[in-house]
Amino acid sequence: QVQLVESGGGLVQAGDSLRLSCTASGGIFSTYNMGWFRQAPGKEREFVAAISRYGGGKYYADSVKGRFTISREYAKSTVYLQMNSLKPEDTAVYYCAASTRAALRASDEYEYWGQGTQVTVSS
């Protein structure tokens, strides 16, 4: 049983950087795979990045590879998404999620979700 709270979203210009944070409570943080998803207006939720239980595996959508970095800090029960070289097409609500399952790119595999944080990138 996990509760997730995202923070760090905002309005930035193309080329800028932003770091999202997701803090977990109510569970054992090291037992969960963690992921970031996003949903743009008029589109379905899509996979962005994921990190495995002990940090050994990191996965990214092709659209963000080389620009975004996912990490986790166990002492703070927090997962981060560092977003660099932001583009207008990155505009979306970003969601943090936790999973005990293995298919980390699939939203259906995640059991717990945060409330989302808005990221808007202007041109």
Side-chain angles (χ1 to χ4, degrees):
Q1 187 64 43
V2 178
Q3 295 80 49
L4 305 173
V5 179
E6 304 99 329
S7 63
L11 173 62
V12 298
Q13 296 184 154
D16 284 353
S17 296
L18 206 58
R19 188 176 76 160
L20 305 183
S21 298
C22 172
T23 299
S25 62
I28 303 174
F29 185 60
S30 61
T31 66
Y32 294 96
N33 304 300
M34 302 296 296
W36 287 97
F37 293 78
R38 67 187 182 187
Q39 187 168 21
K43 297 183 179 180
E44 294 189 347
R45 188 171 298 181
E46 66 174 346
F47 169 77
V48 177
I51 185 167
S52 60
R53 289 175 175 83
Y54 300 107
K58 296 180 180 180
Y59 311 89
Y60 299 94
D62 289 342
S63 59
V64 307
K65 196 171 298 181
R67 299 189 297 121
F68 291 9
T69 302
I70 190 169
S71 62
R72 62 196 298 168
E73 186 170 3
Y74 295 93
K76 295 183 177 180
S77 295
T78 298
V79 61
Y80 303 98
L81 185 68
Q82 177 67 47
M83 304 183 293
N84 297 328
S85 302
L86 283 162
K87 305 174 181 179
E89 50 262 47
D90 294 318
T91 296
V93 177
Y94 283 70
Y95 297 91
C96 174
S99 175
T100 61
R101 305 184 180 101
L104 302 187
R105 290 179 171 85
S107 61
D108 288 351
E109 297 297 304
Y110 286 79
E111 300 150 280
Y112 308 102
W113 293 84
Q115 82 288 352
T117 185
Q118 177 71 48
V119 173
T120 302
V121 185
S122 62
S123 59

